Amino acid sequence: MALFNSPARVFLAATVLRLILLVYGGWQDAYSAVKYTDIDYMVFTDAGRYVAKGESPYARDTYRYTPLLAWMLLPTAWEGAAPWSSLTFAFGKALFALSDVLAGWLVVQLLVRCYRFPVERALRYVAAVWLWNPMVANISTRGSSEGLLGVLVAALLWATLTKKPILAGLILGLAVHFKIYPFIYGVSILWWWDAERDGSATACSDLLSKAFRFITPSRVKFTVAALASFVALNLVMYLQYGQPFLHHTFFHHLTRIDHRHNFSPYSTLLYLSAAGGAETRFEALAFLPQLILVVVALPLVLAKKSLTTAMLAQTFTFVTFNKVCTSQYFLWYLILLPFYLPSSSLIRKPTLGISAAVLWIAGQALWLHQGYNLEFLGLPSFVPGLFLAGLFFFAVNVWILGIIVRDGGEGAGEITVALK
Amino acid sequence: MKRRITFIQRVDASFDPQQAVLTASSLSVRGLDAAREDRITVGLDELPEELRAVLEQSHELHLRWASERSFDAAVPFSSRVSPGLHAHYTPLESESSSEALCTLLRTIVAPNKDTQFKGCSKQEESFITPPLLSTRFASSTSLQYYTYLPSIQSLVEYIQNTVCGKNRTDGSECHTRADALLSADSVDIDYDSDSHALTVSGLWNSPPTGGWTDQFQKPESAADQIEFGLLGADAGLEPEEIKMGGLLAVVGQDKKLKPTMFSFPSRHQQLTEPSSYTVSFAPPTGLHPTMSISMPRSSLKRPPAPSDATCALHTYLTLPSTIFGDQYQLATTDPLFLESHNLVALRALAGEMDLEAPDWVVQRWGSNWLLELATPPEAEDGTSAPDPSNWTATIPLHLRYLPPSETGYRTAHIPWPVVFWACTTEDDTKMSVNPFDRTNLGWDGLFGPRTLFYQLQPAGDRLVEEIDVPVLRLEGGDSYFQGKYIELGTCVVISLGFIWVLWRLARVAWLSGIGSKPAGTVHDKKE
């Protein structure tokens, strides 16, 4: 298709799609009692208004994010006459949508420069998975901040694959400050960035010198930069907003009990145990399988074979094994798919790919049907409905994860020509 | 001890002088068709030690109980609260923490075994502090508590066991009076530290079959007194006034019933035209039930308040912790949302506002919401035919997660809210001269002292809605619906998934190690 010959056209189309959704969203908000704008966006903008008044963003209930987000959305607090106020209100959504497009651009750059993709092929995959994906455009234009994570992860990959350890570290620190989970990428990048990648490889059999050789300038720079940006950001925020910042940005996410129904296989068990009905405390160990895979096993086995596939598998595992899982979490691994899909067995073997897609969608559909029965019809579908649907969806995800791991072992998504 | 017995006859009720007979030592009534209020005022020193201990720590304590049966309120007793028991409390020392009041309340409410209603443990844990939003409140107590209470059987037993002490000479009389409360439409109990007296009022809006037949003996002690009144009520000359006339007597003192006529300003007024509302939740309620308040359009004429008064229709919700509103959703100023629900604004809110907490985490009893409701636009010309359809305001609410049960459901009891017009006037009227004045109802304190209230009458058999809340179904015995199967199932599936991924990783590591050169693929890495 001629459209994919020109990056300008692909990005223009992605931008126009988001502009249309922004205008449509403004229209729906103005003329319908059912709002296009996400509830979370109201939380962000309320918090932005508190900050504009010189107060803490945590004065807004359920604001559980870094103050950076409220600061970024300060323009939404500007008061103005009718046309201006709706423009300033949409500022944050426009920012999130722009981050989407920028993330897509970074991924295309990487595919072309580091993965030696023809421009057309790179554009086709990124457009299909991310830039033209209506779900991605919808989420960011409704005002969910997940799009910001997309650009941070894409930038982290860009800095890493173009061998800029300090920049990569700074971005990682910022990303973890923003939304804890990207810390998992730090492990993969560290393991991946051996002396060979730095271009100073000499084989070494002695165990001690091997261990010593683990410490390379790039790894040190990356680690120090990551720690520095993470600590500096938290220190600034702590000095500014004190304990509420720590509580709402970090501790809340570590101590919350997610008793409400969600896609996680732990959901029913957590409800049972939160209500005091469980005999064992199995869920207290839920972090073990999740962290063993995400922090140790997956980076160790896959990172050096294919960094992006390792990161995809980590994200996929993190979401699948997490104690809480909502549809926004699926966005986290979407940004990494364009690196993996082109050489994956899901594309090479269409039957496998289609089966995976069908099963994944079926898992979602089964769960959503049970969720609808509970949420809207008021049927007690916790057991067996939601319980089994959650476990089935988990099983499908684990099966797909197995395919990603196998492909990663075969070098799917690996850089064919290292950049120098 | 002082008793005041007031019978209020409707204008059209028949009365024969033989129906009320006063002698030197007693007064008897026979077949009287009237509403009745009994009010007993007891000095602190006449009360049992246990009760006195609670009251001595109180600056103010006001209990308001209303039956869930529907009743037509008679003037001047037209004010209402939602069915159930409301406690309004100000401790003597604001920082004092005590379990005494909660112990008393538990005695009154027991044996309500329905665990989903928050038992009162300590007042600072179970009571809420009204109000959060309103800056226009005039006076209200510092703490408030509510519980669903269909019957005051336990309160009656408590009065019989402790107040009607064995040493009292009128023990059996006291028991009978207490029993009579069981059929009352509402019961008020008031104490304040200025008067050092406890007042218990029972209200019956309609007589028992055959009318009221009763006899009141002259009290044996000179310190005690029985006042009797047989009155009719009518609108006063001024819109804020009520005019009453009839017969008064103090039993044992007066030789005959004295005719009387007097008028006084009243904050609670009757609407001149019959006006009613019904409350319902449209099925299926799901986890996000919407409360509908429906009123015939004919019920929504502006009340007969002074012409300079500003009138607005309000509803005051008393929501137990099982159900709650989203303060950010309801406090919106978005005209589209408000119009679609026929709301004007959220005026005040207090209590449990957490949007995420399950019910077992919530400590306090629930929340209160004062909302101003929209009214239908006035017809352009009065000649058009009246619109027979109802006017409905809707309030979107949400259910909390409740503990598992054997059936998969738990019942949430939601009392009907009160619906009333509030008309604010400029006059500085002293409402407290009203001998039947009633305050501390929860909602009245959210308005200025010069506000007149006009209640709409709830029209329904039962003024409490029940919602089936879906919960996790857990059964005992051999059923599959047991907690242990959920625990076991989750544990097994997660473990299998974990092992599967580890196995896949192990195969990769076995075939191609953990280094960067995967076996079997051509890898043209730059040297």
Side-chain angles (χ1 to χ4, degrees):
Chain A
M1 211 199 293
L3 192 57
F4 293 104
N5 291 335
S6 153
R9 264 176 265 170
V10 170
F11 285 100
L12 191 68
T15 312
V16 168
L17 169 68
R18 284 161 175 77
L19 267 178
I20 291 172
L21 286 175
L22 279 175
V23 172
Y24 169 77
W27 178 84
Q28 186 180 325
D29 283 357
Y31 292 99
S32 167
V34 181
K35 304 300 174 194
Y36 178 81
T37 302
D38 197 81
I39 295 287
D40 285 348
Y41 192 68
M42 308 314 287
V43 178
F44 305 158
T45 50
D46 283 355
R49 228 164 282 135
Y50 278 114
V51 172
K53 284 189 283 180
E55 293 173 42
S56 162
Y58 302 105
R60 174 60 162 86
D61 275 2
T62 70
Y63 184 80
R64 307 255 161 73
Y65 316 86
T66 162
L68 278 182
L69 189 59
W71 293 1
M72 267 191 247
L73 297 195
L74 269 179
T76 61
W78 293 343
E79 308 270 324
W84 288 112
S85 61
S86 49
L87 276 184
T88 56
F89 177 74
F91 173 81
K93 303 183 193 182
L95 188 73
F96 299 153
L98 198 68
S99 319
D100 268 3
V101 178
L102 183 62
W105 182 79
L106 284 168
V107 174
V108 171
Q109 289 301 303
L110 284 174
L111 286 175
V112 173
R113 290 179 65 190
C114 304
Y115 285 68
R116 284 296 168 93
F117 270 45
V119 175
E120 194 188 329
R121 189 162 180 239
L123 285 172
R124 193 170 291 161
Y125 274 103
V126 178
V129 171
W130 186 264
L131 283 173
W132 293 0
N133 186 334
M135 181 175 127
V136 176
N138 178 262
I139 285 181
S140 62
T141 53
R142 289 185 63 204
S144 166
S145 63
E146 303 294 334
L148 286 176
L149 257 297
V151 78
L152 284 176
V153 172
L156 172 65
L157 260 178
W158 178 79
T160 306
L161 295 178
T162 55
K163 308 285 170 63
K164 298 180 177 66
I166 294 181
L167 184 61
L170 293 176
I171 295 170
L172 179 67
L174 172 65
V176 177
H177 169 77
F178 229 92
K179 199 138 210 172
I180 310 166
Y181 89 91
F183 79 92
I184 61 179
Y185 302 140
V187 189
S188 281
I189 293 173
L190 264 187
W191 182 241
W192 170 86
W193 216 319
D194 52 20
E196 223 178 312
R197 308 269 173 204
D198 280 340
S200 60
T202 39
C204 214
S205 52
D206 178 11
L207 195 70
L208 188 72
S209 55
K210 236 182 183 175
F212 189 70
R213 281 195 56 82
F214 180 81
I215 304 165
T216 65
S218 295
R219 279 174 172 156
V220 172
K221 284 181 201 162
F222 175 74
T223 311
V224 171
L227 286 176
S229 76
F230 182 68
V231 170
L233 281 169
N234 288 336
L235 202 65
V236 169
M237 299 308 167
Y238 181 73
L239 290 177
Q240 185 76 20
Y241 299 113
Q243 195 60 33
F245 154 69
L246 285 183
H247 176 78
H248 291 288
T249 314
F250 297 116
F251 300 151
H252 166 78
H253 298 282
L254 302 177
T255 56
R256 62 197 275 191
I257 33 158
D258 284 288
H259 63 282
R260 295 191 139 252
H261 57 287
N262 61 73
F263 298 126
S264 168
Y266 292 103
S267 169
T268 313
L269 177 65
L270 286 178
Y271 175 16
L272 177 72
S273 78
E279 288 162 27
T280 55
R281 301 287 302 167
F282 173 66
E283 76 284 353
L285 300 174
F287 69 93
L288 271 181
Q290 185 187 30
L291 288 190
I292 289 173
L293 288 175
V294 163
V295 179
V296 183
L298 286 164
L300 190 69
V301 177
L302 293 183
K304 290 196 180 189
K305 296 191 175 61
S306 168
L307 178 62
T308 46
T309 307
M311 285 167 62
L312 172 69
Q314 280 181 295
T315 321
F316 207 86
T317 310
F318 190 89
V319 172
T320 302
F321 283 80
N322 204 25
K323 287 208 282 187
V324 57
C325 176
T326 61
S327 48
Q328 284 182 9
Y329 290 30
F330 303 145
L331 216 61
W332 294 358
Y333 52 74
L334 227 45
I335 188 74
L336 294 164
L337 274 182
F339 299 99
Y340 162 74
L341 273 186
S343 52
S344 76
S345 56
L346 296 174
I347 295 287
R348 274 186 286 117
K349 301 179 202 158
T351 355
L352 187 69
I354 290 167
S355 311
V358 166
L359 279 172
W360 196 89
I361 292 167
Q364 277 280 298
L366 274 176
W367 190 97
L368 287 171
H369 178 237
Q370 297 301 326
Y372 175 83
N373 283 350
L374 170 69
E375 192 106 21
F376 295 98
L377 302 185
L379 302 173
S381 59
F382 291 103
V383 283
L386 277 171
F387 175 61
L388 294 183
L391 292 185
F392 174 71
F393 187 60
F394 171 80
V396 171
N397 277 290
V398 163
W399 175 66
I400 295 174
L401 191 57
I403 297 171
I404 297 174
V405 167
R406 194 184 58 202
D407 287 350
E410 289 167 4
E414 170 56 334
I415 305 178
T416 41
V417 173
L419 197 88
K420 190 74 205 180
Chain B
M1 189 176 75
K2 222 173 106 180
R3 283 182 65 195
R4 187 182 86 181
I5 292 125
T6 315
F7 291 96
I8 306 282
Q9 285 207 299
R10 286 174 212 279
V11 184
D12 54 354
S14 63
F15 176 67
D16 168 6
Q18 292 305 310
Q19 283 181 283
V21 177
L22 179 69
T23 67
S25 64
S26 74
L27 185 142
S28 47
V29 294
R30 187 164 46 80
L32 211 54
D33 177 14
R36 172 176 174 169
E37 189 208 43
D38 275 21
R39 182 176 290 195
I40 297 176
T41 307
V42 189
L44 204 54
D45 50 349
E46 294 175 78
L47 290 170
E49 178 58 39
E50 167 194 359
L51 187 55
R52 205 161 63 208
V54 176
L55 297 179
E56 276 171 346
Q57 291 176 11
S58 312
H59 177 60
E60 277 182 90
L61 176 63
H62 308 279
L63 300 184
R64 302 277 176 266
W65 177 81
S67 161
E68 60 185 50
R69 293 186 308 268
S70 179
F71 55 86
D72 287 330
V75 184
F77 307 115
S78 40
S79 64
R80 286 175 183 270
V81 293
S82 288
L85 180 71
H86 306 253
H88 302 274
Y89 180 58
T90 306
L92 211 47
E93 288 154 32
S94 58
E95 68 276 13
S96 83
S97 151
S98 166
E99 293 175 26
L101 178 59
C102 276
T103 311
L104 178 71
L105 284 174
R106 280 203 304 271
T107 319
I108 294 174
V109 174
N112 185 354
K113 293 192 187 68
D114 202 337
T115 49
Q116 75 183 72
F117 289 96
K118 297 279 172 267
C120 190
S121 53
K122 284 183 189 156
Q123 67 221 25
E124 66 268 28
E125 283 173 10
S126 307
F127 282 57
I128 66 171
T129 312
L132 289 179
L133 194 102
S134 169
T135 50
R136 50 183 186 151
F137 63 92
S139 65
S140 53
T141 55
S142 63
L143 295 168
Q144 198 246 324
Y145 179 79
Y146 166 83
T147 185
Y148 168 69
L149 188 64
S151 156
I152 48 169
Q153 181 74 47
S154 302
L155 171 66
V156 168
E157 281 166 18
Y158 176 79
I159 292 175
Q160 289 172 339
N161 292 338
T162 58
V163 185
C164 308
K166 290 188 186 75
N167 52 349
R168 292 182 72 109
T169 48
D170 58 349
S172 67
E173 163 84 2
C174 182
H175 270 77
T176 318
R177 298 281 165 227
D179 268 336
L181 285 178
L182 287 174
S183 61
D185 295 324
S186 73
V187 174
D188 287 7
I189 299 177
D190 294 274
Y191 171 82
D192 69 75
S193 61
D194 298 331
S195 68
H196 280 276
L198 183 76
T199 307
V200 181
S201 315
L203 178 67
W204 296 260
N205 281 285
S206 48
T209 333
W212 295 104
T213 300
D214 211 337
Q215 193 177 41
F216 309 100
Q217 297 289 340
K218 174 192 171 186
E220 293 183 10
S221 158
D224 296 349
Q225 193 187 40
I226 298 185
E227 287 176 26
F228 170 83
L230 173 57
L231 301 165
D234 206 351
L237 290 174
E238 300 292 328
E240 70 273 14
E241 285 192 338
I242 289 178
K243 185 175 71 186
M244 297 189 88
L247 303 165
L248 294 180
V250 176
V251 179
Q253 275 181 33
D254 291 326
K255 299 274 184 299
K256 58 176 192 151
L257 292 163
K258 290 189 283 194
T260 184
M261 176 82 85
F262 57 102
S263 68
F264 49 84
S266 170
R267 69 182 91 233
H268 303 293
Q269 292 281 339
Q270 185 94 329
L271 283 164
T272 39
E273 292 182 45
S275 50
S276 63
Y277 67 98
T278 56
V279 174
S280 62
F281 288 92
T285 45
L287 291 179
H288 310 280
T290 298
M291 179 185 276
S292 299
I293 303 173
S294 287
M295 299 151 275
R297 279 166 200 262
S298 59
S299 286
L300 292 171
K301 296 215 178 76
R302 185 185 183 274
S307 54
D308 62 337
T310 320
C311 292
L313 187 67
H314 286 81
T315 186
Y316 183 72
L317 273 60
T318 302
L319 299 180
S321 64
T322 48
I323 189 166
F324 65 98
D326 176 344
Q327 56 170 318
Y328 296 100
Q329 185 186 18
L330 293 175
T332 182
T333 51
D334 174 36
L336 293 164
F337 173 86
L338 293 170
E339 275 168 33
S340 71
H341 290 283
N342 281 337
L343 301 175
V344 173
L346 174 64
R347 294 296 182 202
L349 73 169
E352 282 294 348
M353 295 292 149
D354 195 309
L355 304 175
E356 293 158 339
D359 194 50
W360 58 86
V361 169
V362 173
Q363 284 191 321
R364 296 177 299 167
W365 67 266
S367 56
N368 281 322
W369 305 75
L370 177 70
L371 290 138
E372 186 178 334
L373 304 180
T375 47
E378 302 262 339
E380 290 289 309
D381 55 301
T383 54
S384 63
D387 187 344
S389 69
N390 278 343
W391 177 258
T392 302
T394 47
I395 302 159
L397 299 172
H398 311 276
L399 293 171
R400 288 193 193 283
Y401 265 48
L402 301 183
S405 82
E406 286 202 2
T407 57
Y409 291 102
R410 276 179 192 273
T411 309
H413 298 262
I414 299 133
W416 282 27
V418 287
V419 180
F420 57 90
W421 289 90
C423 297
T424 310
T425 65
E426 292 302 314
D427 322 339
D428 196 3
T429 320
K430 284 265 181 296
M431 301 293 187
S432 53
V433 302
N434 175 355
F436 304 101
D437 192 26
R438 194 174 180 220
T439 56
N440 288 295
L441 305 167
W443 45 268
D444 60 325
L446 303 172
F447 295 88
R450 297 164 197 164
T451 310
L452 300 177
F453 300 107
Y454 299 81
Q455 299 277 327
L456 275 71
Q457 309 276 342
D461 294 335
R462 189 181 171 209
L463 308 183
V464 170
E465 291 300 305
E466 289 188 355
I467 289 184
D468 283 333
V469 184
V471 299
L472 179 61
R473 188 163 93 199
L474 284 186
E475 288 175 9
D478 297 330
S479 161
Y480 288 112
F481 298 111
Q482 285 185 50
K484 65 180 178 192
Y485 290 110
I486 292 169
E487 292 175 68
L488 195 70
T490 310
C491 183
V492 165
V493 171
I494 303 266
S495 303
L496 286 176
F498 177 58
I499 291 165
W500 171 254
V501 179
L502 274 186
W503 162 246
R504 281 298 180 137
L505 282 166
R507 268 176 61 103
V508 169
W510 177 258
L511 288 172
S512 54
I514 56 170
S516 57
K517 292 194 180 69
T521 48
V522 184
H523 202 75
D524 57 347
K525 186 177 270 288
K526 197 176 170 185
E527 288 304 312

